[in-house]
Amino acid sequence: MKILMIEDNQSVCEMMEMFFLKEDWDATFKQDGKEGLDAFLTQPNAWDIITLDLNLPTMDGIQICREIRKVSKTVPIIMLTAKDSESDQVIGLEMGADDYVTKPFSPLTLIARIKALHRRADLGHEEGVGSPAKNTDFEVETDHLKINTKTREAFLYHKPIEGLTPKEFELLYTLAKNPKQVFSREQLLTIVWDYQYYGDERTVDAHIKKLRQKIEKTGPQVIQTVWGVGYKFDDTGVE
């Protein structure tokens, strides 16, 4: 696995370098925000995971995340944030980060998060979005939605839902393959993120918000809120 870690704390970089070597991962470290972004832009298809500190010299993590997502919608991004920066965590997720880890953190925690994202992510080259393939190619088919997990494509009313990040795609897939079933935020955290968030549910709400925005560019809203419980997918009766 090839990792780009954009982190200005030298001791954190040195500590994580030891753990990455133990996992036999190839890691590149950049301690300046602009240099980190340039490293990504030089080889945008080379990285399996990007870890991104929020507070960096020359360019902050939110700006970097935004610029990365203009180039790649699928490269997994883990944001590193301070414990008291709840609003920044939500903004980071809304900008396209797939996960966040609060500082100070255990190296083993970050390793576990990276492995979980790596398992879930599409590590092949990003597929172009074209016309829907044959019906037999879709793992999910509802009244108006079709999803192909091999090409990471989703079509609503025969039109592609564009720009889905890995976590947004997994959320849509999880909900759509179980139409009308209500999922709590805790269930979605366990299924989609592949580990427990210990009650931190803001990440689900932030990803659902962005997913809905992308769906609405294609057709009617099919992700419904069940107040006090969670979310469900339902496209029956939607015209």
Side-chain angles (χ1 to χ4, degrees):
M1 182 155 38
K2 191 167 184 179
I3 299 171
L4 173 61
M5 186 169 200
I6 309 175
E7 166 63 60
D8 67 337
N9 188 311
Q10 180 66 30
S11 63
V12 171
C13 292
E14 291 174 354
M15 174 181 65
M16 291 312 306
E17 184 176 20
M18 292 188 294
F19 280 86
F20 291 156
L21 286 173
K22 185 177 180 181
E23 297 289 338
D24 199 24
W25 295 345
D26 181 11
T28 297
F29 298 87
K30 296 295 180 180
Q31 294 179 284
D32 176 88
K34 182 66 165 56
E35 290 179 4
L37 178 60
D38 289 343
F40 166 77
L41 294 175
T42 300
Q43 295 180 295
N45 297 317
W47 312 103
D48 295 316
I49 297 282
I50 296 173
T51 71
L52 181 58
D53 190 27
L54 189 64
N55 298 308
L56 292 160
T58 71
M59 180 180 287
D60 66 37
I62 298 297
Q63 292 175 292
I64 296 170
C65 187
R66 184 187 294 115
E67 293 303 313
I68 289 174
R69 283 292 176 240
K70 289 179 181 178
V71 177
S72 172
K73 303 297 184 184
T74 60
V75 61
I77 299 173
I78 298 178
M79 191 80 75
L80 305 180
T81 71
K83 279 190 174 181
D84 59 352
S85 58
E86 176 179 334
S87 60
D88 289 331
Q89 292 162 1
V90 173
I91 292 171
L93 293 170
E94 290 183 347
M95 287 299 103
D98 297 288
D99 195 1
Y100 67 86
V101 174
T102 55
K103 291 182 173 182
F105 60 85
S106 160
L108 293 178
T109 296
L110 182 57
I111 293 293
R113 300 287 182 92
I114 290 173
K115 288 180 177 179
L117 262 184
H118 187 259
R119 284 195 297 268
R120 293 279 181 174
D122 175 24
L123 299 178
H125 69 278
E126 296 182 27
E127 299 285 344
V129 178
S131 301
K134 297 182 294 183
N135 288 345
T136 54
D137 293 331
F138 294 104
E139 289 81 8
V140 172
E141 291 190 67
T142 67
D143 287 358
H144 304 292
L145 180 77
K146 295 181 179 181
I147 296 177
N148 186 322
T149 60
K150 297 180 180 65
T151 62
R152 310 291 286 187
E153 294 173 310
F155 298 88
L156 185 63
Y157 289 90
H158 306 292
K159 294 185 292 184
I161 304 174
E162 297 182 335
L164 294 177
T165 66
K167 282 293 179 286
E168 291 164 359
F169 184 91
E170 292 292 340
L171 271 173
L172 180 60
Y173 174 73
T174 299
L175 293 168
K177 72 178 180 179
N178 301 282
K180 298 185 180 181
Q181 178 179 335
V182 181
F183 288 85
S184 69
R185 292 169 178 83
E186 292 89 346
Q187 288 175 316
L188 291 173
L189 286 170
T190 301
I191 295 169
V192 175
W193 277 260
D194 204 23
Y195 53 82
Q196 294 291 339
Y197 259 68
Y198 302 103
D200 191 351
E201 302 169 354
R202 296 186 304 273
T203 186
V204 174
D205 295 334
H207 279 80
I208 288 288
K209 178 181 177 181
K210 294 297 289 185
L211 174 58
R212 281 172 164 166
Q213 291 173 350
K214 293 173 182 179
I215 288 173
E216 287 169 355
K217 294 179 181 179
T218 305
Q221 190 53 251
V222 292
I223 304 296
Q224 300 179 8
T225 299
V226 180
W227 297 107
V229 184
Y231 299 99
K232 69 176 181 178
F233 173 92
D234 188 1
D235 65 347
T236 59
V238 175
E239 301 297 339

